[in-house]
Each structure stands twice: as structure tokens, then as C-alpha cells.
Amino acid sequence: MAEESVKITKKLGDIASIWVGHPLRGTIPDDSGSGIYMVQPRNIDEFCQVDWSSVVETKLEWRGKSRWLDVGDVIFRMNGRTNHATFIDKIDLPDNARVACHHQFFHLKVHDTDVNPAYLAWFINLPEMQEVLAESKLGVGTGPVVNRRMLSELSVGVPSAELQKSCLELWSGYVDARRASGRELAKMAGMYHESVQVLIGSGGR
């Protein structure tokens, strides 16, 4: 086996600190001008990226230490049909905005310098890892969840920095291609509907 393909395995809990997102009851109140924003599950798009245009400004009460999201952090959806991770590559909000994540997320801050946080999110989202997480869920009622112990025990393959970068470049290329394809399909759909309206309006003449 080539040397660059050899990887070690580490427990996620040894790679990153893990906290539960901000606890809330009921709906999230709008509070324009507060400078505080809340990332919710509905703000995550199909490519596991934050749609910052949909993140609401709100008011939060803290009973403990406040933990704000920083660029380079990872958030992980603990419940729901899928349990994807999102790398915070940017915070596309006004300057000095403070951002928290909803309590349906775990907030991860990577401290292992051998692991690129973006790679960690990509690795968690692999189908094989999603299967492992699905099998480890516990609970009924409101739905099974991945608890902190389960997430901490997840085995993460850690290749070289070069291979981590290559994995991320492949993913980025795939996402760009999917987005471009979506725009092209939307354009074609618009042209189709316009053509249909012209034909109907002309009465088939």
C-alpha cells in the first residue's frame, strides 16, 4: 500500500470538543437589531451548507456560558432522518454578528491539528458513516437521536493533509456541478413554460 494512502483512526471525541447547541422552548422570536442569529436545521441546504440568507435574527437568554459559532467550527444534526455535519466556512452576516446553533445540533470545535474541520464534516457525511450513526441512534417518541457519547465514539479515518484536501476538492467540484446543473434545468424549465404559453396564446396557429 502506498504510504500516502495509509491512515490512522481516531475517536471523534479525541479530535474535537462537543457541546449541545443553545436550548430553546417553543418558537424562535424575531428580534431585528439584536445582532444575535440562530442557525436552525431548516437553514441547512441539500449540500450540508448554511443558507445564511434564511438565518433569523433573534433574542436569546443564556443560563450558562455562551458558545458562539466561529468560522472553522462544525455543527452536527443529532436528530432527524439524516444526521449530517456542516462546516462553517464563512459567516455571511453583518459585521459583529453573534451566531448560535439550535439545540438540535451539536457544536464541534476541532482541536486536533492533524484533522481539517471541513474534512471531518465531509467524513461524517459519507454514506458509510451515516449508516453507522443511524444504527447507533437511541430513543423513541420525538424520534431517535445520536447522543454525545455515540458521536464521541465515532471512529474517524485520518489520512494525510494532502488526501484530506483532495477529498474536499472532489466534493467541491461535485457541488459546483450539481448547482450548475440545477441552474441549467431551471433555465430550461422557464423556456419550456414560456414556449407553452406562446403556443396556447396563439391557439396553435
Side-chain angles (χ1 to χ4, degrees):
M1 181 181 296
E3 182 179 352
E4 64 268 22
S5 67
V6 176
K7 63 183 179 182
I8 60 175
T9 299
K10 298 183 179 183
K11 298 295 185 183
L12 195 151
D14 295 328
I15 293 172
S17 300
I18 305 172
W19 305 288
V20 178
H22 186 78
L24 287 169
R25 291 183 179 180
T27 59
I28 298 175
D30 289 337
D31 190 5
S32 178
S34 69
I36 297 175
Y37 295 79
M38 168 71 74
V39 176
Q40 306 171 66
R42 66 182 178 87
N43 303 131
I44 309 301
D45 68 17
E46 62 178 310
F47 303 110
C48 303
Q49 296 176 347
V50 179
D51 174 11
W52 292 105
S53 66
S54 68
V55 176
V56 299
E57 195 171 8
T58 187
K59 181 179 180 179
L60 300 178
E61 295 182 0
W62 296 93
R63 296 183 179 180
K65 181 179 179 181
S66 59
R67 300 194 187 278
W68 306 110
L69 288 176
D70 295 315
V71 172
D73 290 350
V74 174
I75 56 177
F76 170 82
R77 176 76 183 272
M78 66 174 73
N79 63 351
R81 184 174 58 85
T82 57
N83 304 102
H84 289 134
T86 294
F87 172 63
I88 307 299
D89 64 332
K90 62 181 178 181
I91 295 180
D92 193 9
L93 294 171
D95 292 342
N96 301 319
R98 293 174 292 173
V99 187
C101 62
H102 193 272
H103 62 258
Q104 293 182 51
F105 291 108
F106 283 121
H107 178 180
L108 283 61
K109 188 174 291 290
V110 173
H111 50 70
D112 188 325
T113 57
D114 291 332
V115 180
N116 183 328
Y119 167 81
L120 177 62
W122 174 85
F123 183 87
I124 292 172
N125 294 337
L126 289 174
E128 299 88 340
M129 294 301 102
Q130 287 295 301
E131 290 180 7
V132 171
L133 291 166
E135 292 172 357
S136 68
K137 288 182 183 179
L138 295 175
V140 293
T142 57
V145 300
V146 177
N147 64 33
R148 184 175 356 212
R149 181 187 61 80
M150 297 170 187
L151 187 60
S152 296
E153 290 297 313
L154 185 69
S155 295
V156 179
V158 183
S160 67
E162 291 76 12
L163 278 181
Q164 291 182 48
K165 181 181 178 181
S166 295
C167 292
L168 294 174
E169 288 174 345
L170 285 171
W171 170 247
S172 179
Y174 169 75
V175 170
D176 289 346
R178 282 282 305 275
R179 291 191 188 280
S181 176
R183 289 191 294 269
E184 185 63 25
L185 286 173
K187 180 180 177 181
M188 293 174 64
M191 294 171 62
Y192 164 74
H193 290 298
E194 288 178 5
S195 298
V196 168
Q197 292 302 315
V198 169
L199 287 173
I200 293 176
S202 67
R205 294 190 296 272

